[in-house]
Amino acid sequence: MATVTKPIVHTLKFQKRMAMEILRVGQRHVWLNPEKKHEIAKARTRAAIRDLIATNVIQLKPGLRGKRGKLDSIKVATNPIVQRINLNYKQAHSSWGAAQE
C-alpha cells in the first residue's frame, strides 16, 4: 500500500492570542497573513510576535468597532504598537487614511 502523507496544519491560536494581548484588542481585530503561516507558526515568544507585528505579518484590522469606536480610538492613541501598525496601514492604503481624517 502507498503511504498517504497528510498536509501539515498549523494551528495559530497561540500566536493569535499572544498578538491579542500585545495589541490589547479582541480576537476579531487581529489579522494573520495567510501567506506567512509557517513563519507565524515558528513564533513562540512575545518578542517574536512583536517582530511579526512590526513587519506587518500580523496586523490590527482598521476601522471603528461599533459602539466602542471612541474607546478604540483611545487605545490607538495610547498604544505605540497599534499606532505604528495603523500608520503603516494608512501609508499603504491612502484612501483609508483620507476617509478617517
Side-chain angles (χ1 to χ4, degrees):
M1 295 182 84
T3 59
V4 178
T5 59
K6 293 182 180 180
I8 298 173
V9 178
H10 293 288
T11 303
L12 304 176
K13 287 183 180 181
F14 173 77
Q15 288 80 359
K16 190 162 190 172
R17 184 178 57 79
M18 188 77 72
M20 288 167 32
E21 291 176 7
I22 291 170
L23 295 172
R24 297 179 188 155
V25 294
Q27 175 180 349
R28 294 179 357 182
H29 305 297
V30 175
W31 178 78
L32 305 175
N33 189 342
E35 297 173 1
K36 307 276 185 168
K37 280 185 182 177
H38 298 292
E39 189 177 335
I40 296 170
K42 292 178 188 175
R44 290 288 180 185
T45 63
R46 284 182 170 271
I49 298 293
R50 283 191 197 103
D51 290 341
L52 292 175
I53 291 170
T55 57
N56 289 331
V57 174
I58 298 174
Q59 295 181 4
L60 175 68
K61 291 181 184 175
L64 296 178
R65 291 158 182 89
K67 295 178 181 179
R68 296 181 48 106
K70 185 170 184 175
L71 291 175
D72 287 338
S73 65
I74 292 170
K75 282 184 188 177
V76 169
T78 58
N79 189 335
I81 296 171
V82 175
Q83 283 178 339
R84 184 175 36 209
I85 290 170
N86 280 343
L87 180 63
N88 290 341
Y89 191 87
K90 284 182 186 178
Q91 290 171 350
H93 307 328
S94 60
S95 62
W96 180 81
Q100 290 295 323
E101 292 175 2

